[in-house]
Amino acid sequence: MTRGAGAPESLALLCFLLFSSGCMAVRIGDEAYGTDVGGVFYVFADMAVHVINPVNLSVVKTITQDQDGNTLSNVGAYGGAPNISRSWNDAVLAEDPSLNKSYLFVNEGDVYPGPGNQTHSYVTVIDTSTAKIIARVSVGPVPVHIYVVNPTREVWSHSDTDGTFDVIAVADIAVGDVTSLNATNVPGVVKEGGHGKLLLDAALYPKSYATNVNEQWLNQLNLVERTRTASYDFSEAIPNCAGTHSIVYSNISQHAYVECIPGGIFEWNTVNDTLVHYFANVTGYLTAALGDDYILASDASHNLVTVLSPQANGVPSKVSYSVSVLGNPQHPIFYSNSSDYTTVPGLQDYTIFFPLADDTNIANLATGLDVQAPSYSNAPGDCVYDNTTAITSKTTGLRLASSGQKIQTPECGACAPGFEPFNPSYFNGSVSGVRYVTLPNIQSNASRGLLGNTTFITAGAVMPAASEGTDANQCSLGELYRIGKRGGPFIAINADIPTASVYFIDASKPNGPGLYGSVNTSTRPAYISWVPLNVPALQTTILGAA
């Protein structure tokens, strides 16, 4: 445990009796409850789930067994073994108000054989009143994103293999018959499966939209009837948009904003289901500000965040600002000292945090190359040479090329020392962490014709990996991801370097955010969830941790 100077301002007493009957559990979701003061972070790591009190930087409990008393290994899965951990993807909180109980639903990424040629994965269920795993529900293979539909008290898990949603009724958990739980399958695609997301907003309910990176369709769903009600083909209008990924909504414009694959975004009118505008030169993961008055597009490949301002219904949004965020910025996290987003003017009271997922390998840093740039795998510069014989990387064991081809030296990219096997001593975690910016900073720079700039806080780094692609450059890096969650005054982010841990940023400091401390975890902390305690009922909100 390490700790920075000073405790967070205005932090109410945490309910230390976490697992007693006097502790009420969380409402639904964790994204919108980040403002709640007093709670714990659940950290999903190798063979363990840690429950961490950020106030005193302590591990309250570590979960190491499932509902049957087994370890958290993926034994039985394809490639599984007793010493290999279950793969943790997204998690979400859901409540049964009739019992004053709440549960964490966590997608597992491992794939298990099923009847015939079918395969499946699992969703793990944790009772937050006891911090124990109570069930595993079979769902479609490779579920990544997961959502809660509050009016129907259902959890929707998305399979990246077949593109469908598996729906779990929260009431089935409360009944206690967790050994025979089943999920209802909902089609979310037209023809081809793939990674995708679900758009949830109270203003749209019961209508929703689903994306798919492999299809040129925007699919409309009915959340109550659990059916796909329409599919909109945008292939002719936006031929360069081969698929869709992130999707957000603004109540100001009543438009959905959709990220295109491989780049660009389009604006969709949800009132009459028509295309409003295609932004060919704006790209990145989409996030809506908590007041819906700004849409952020985070382009990690180019270290750039673009801010759009929604207009009236049917009118294209304006490209208002751009922010330079060095270090492969991940999904933004909003912090405000106000919990009433309806009265906060724009982002002026917000600080926006970006967890960084940059490569910090010492050998790669020494080359001066941006090994995460899109051009790197095609033209890795000084890391390419002509060989006269076939060569195999001493680091990864990969066959790099046949005789006579140009190849990348084994000392660069994912073939640099320290990648395989992973050795954190070959990385410099001090050059990564988190960056933050405020809207006044963005506006001030824009008035002078400059990009907004960010402030850096060192907070460790994440472990990079080799690309899983089949291109000739076998030493190129794969995509790097980093998780950040807000809980009260804290921003929690995961790290593998210099050691497996979670870093906590105190966002409430009057003189600006700063590092509060860190807590060591099991290796590869993959996902973080915030579980506030003793929060009031909010019966009609639709939330999703995607």
Side-chain angles (χ1 to χ4, degrees):
M1 177 182 75
T2 58
R3 181 170 182 170
E9 287 76 6
S10 303
L11 182 63
L13 178 64
L14 177 70
C15 179
F16 291 104
L17 301 176
L18 173 65
F19 309 118
S20 72
S21 60
C23 245
M24 292 176 61
V26 65
R27 300 305 306 174
I28 292 183
D30 55 0
E31 303 295 346
Y33 292 98
T35 58
D36 291 331
V37 176
V40 291
F41 287 99
Y42 277 66
V43 180
F44 298 85
D46 278 353
M47 305 292 282
V49 180
H50 304 288
V51 184
I52 298 177
N53 173 3
V55 178
N56 59 15
L57 300 172
S58 66
V59 177
V60 179
K61 183 175 181 178
T62 296
I63 305 170
T64 59
Q65 293 182 332
D66 65 13
Q67 73 284 355
D68 296 322
N70 300 317
T71 66
L72 303 184
S73 75
N74 65 353
V75 64
Y78 291 107
N83 61 337
I84 301 178
S85 177
R86 298 173 187 177
S87 300
W88 306 112
N89 287 328
D90 285 3
V92 73
L93 285 155
E95 182 186 25
D96 184 342
S98 65
L99 298 178
N100 195 27
K101 298 268 287 186
S102 70
Y103 310 94
L104 265 173
F105 290 78
V106 189
N107 277 337
E108 297 181 28
D110 306 292
V111 178
Y112 296 78
N117 295 322
Q118 294 184 342
T119 60
H120 69 103
S121 295
Y122 288 104
V123 171
T124 283
V125 185
I126 298 175
D127 185 337
T128 63
S129 66
T130 60
K132 292 182 178 180
I133 295 175
I134 60 171
R136 288 176 90 194
V137 183
S138 177
V139 295
V142 194
V144 174
H145 298 306
I146 191 166
Y147 307 86
V148 169
V149 180
N150 193 12
T152 58
R153 301 293 175 189
E154 293 175 337
V155 173
W156 288 49
S157 174
H158 183 267
S159 167
D160 277 12
T161 297
D162 55 28
T164 61
F165 293 91
D166 290 289
V167 182
I168 305 169
V170 177
D172 289 345
I173 303 293
V175 168
D177 184 16
V178 296
T179 60
S180 59
L181 285 172
N182 294 303
T184 301
N185 187 265
V186 178
V189 297
V190 177
K191 295 180 180 179
E192 186 174 357
H195 180 76
K197 287 179 170 286
L198 182 68
L199 174 62
L200 298 178
D201 194 279
L204 292 173
Y205 185 79
K207 183 168 67 173
S208 179
Y209 295 88
T211 63
N212 186 330
V213 297
N214 292 326
E215 286 192 336
Q216 291 182 296
W217 302 79
L218 181 63
N219 296 300
Q220 185 183 112
L221 306 180
N222 185 300
L223 297 171
V224 173
E225 297 177 358
R226 299 177 176 176
T227 57
R228 185 179 74 243
T229 54
S231 295
Y232 302 101
D233 184 351
F234 54 79
S235 59
E236 292 187 7
I238 321 174
N240 293 331
C241 187
T244 56
H245 184 219
S246 59
I247 180 170
V248 296
Y249 178 79
S250 171
N251 282 280
I252 293 174
S253 61
Q254 295 178 286
H255 294 168
Y257 299 78
V258 187
E259 175 191 5
C260 279
I261 302 297
I265 65 172
F266 67 83
E267 195 167 351
W268 186 262
N269 192 335
T270 64
V271 175
N272 56 17
D273 284 307
T274 57
L275 178 67
V276 177
H277 187 70
Y278 172 59
F279 297 86
N281 298 320
V282 178
T283 193
Y285 187 90
L286 295 170
T287 311
L290 299 177
D292 279 350
D293 34 17
Y294 286 99
I295 305 296
L296 274 64
S298 302
D299 182 0
S301 296
H302 297 93
N303 296 318
L304 185 68
V305 175
T306 303
V307 182
L308 302 178
S309 300
Q311 304 298 303
N313 181 253
V315 179
S317 296
K318 294 181 179 180
V319 178
S320 297
Y321 308 107
S322 294
V323 187
S324 174
V325 186
L326 299 176
N328 194 18
Q330 302 296 286
H331 306 169
I333 306 160
F334 296 93
Y335 175 81
S336 173
N337 287 316
S338 170
S339 60
D340 183 1
Y341 305 126
T342 63
T343 60
V344 176
L347 293 176
Q348 295 183 29
D349 192 39
Y350 294 155
T351 303
I352 311 170
F353 292 85
F354 298 93
L356 306 178
D358 43 344
D359 173 33
T360 61
N361 181 268
I362 295 172
N364 288 335
L365 293 173
T367 67
L369 299 173
D370 182 2
V371 296
Q372 289 163 185
S375 61
Y376 177 74
S377 60
N378 297 322
D382 294 340
C383 293
V384 167
Y385 67 95
D386 289 314
N387 67 305
T388 56
T389 59
I391 189 170
T392 299
S393 167
K394 296 178 182 179
T395 306
T396 65
L398 294 172
R399 184 178 179 84
L400 300 182
S402 300
S403 176
Q405 293 183 344
K406 287 187 176 182
I407 63 168
Q408 180 179 349
T409 169
E411 299 305 316
C412 287
C415 296
F419 272 80
E420 185 63 40
F422 174 63
N423 186 338
S425 66
Y426 285 88
F427 296 81
N428 182 3
S430 67
V431 299
S432 188
V434 63
R435 289 186 176 274
Y436 70 89
V437 67
T438 62
L439 184 65
N441 173 283
I442 299 172
Q443 293 172 324
S444 174
N445 280 278
S447 67
R448 294 176 287 146
L450 303 173
L451 294 177
N453 53 58
T454 58
T455 301
F456 173 72
I457 300 175
T458 182
V462 289
M463 175 178 62
S467 173
E468 296 181 356
T470 58
D471 61 336
N473 179 14
Q474 294 294 324
C475 293
S476 60
L477 293 184
E479 291 189 61
L480 291 90
Y481 298 100
R482 197 168 194 181
I483 297 298
K485 289 286 182 174
R486 180 186 173 183
F490 297 106
I491 306 297
I493 60 172
N494 63 317
D496 305 297
I497 303 164
T499 186
S501 56
V502 175
Y503 282 78
F504 298 97
I505 308 300
D506 179 4
S508 67
K509 295 170 68 68
N511 296 326
L515 180 65
Y516 183 74
S518 63
V519 176
N520 290 344
T521 67
S522 300
T523 54
R524 295 195 308 169
Y527 197 83
I528 302 172
S529 282
W530 169 245
V531 178
L533 307 171
N534 296 317
V535 294
L538 189 58
Q539 299 294 332
T540 59
T541 300
I542 303 176
L543 302 172

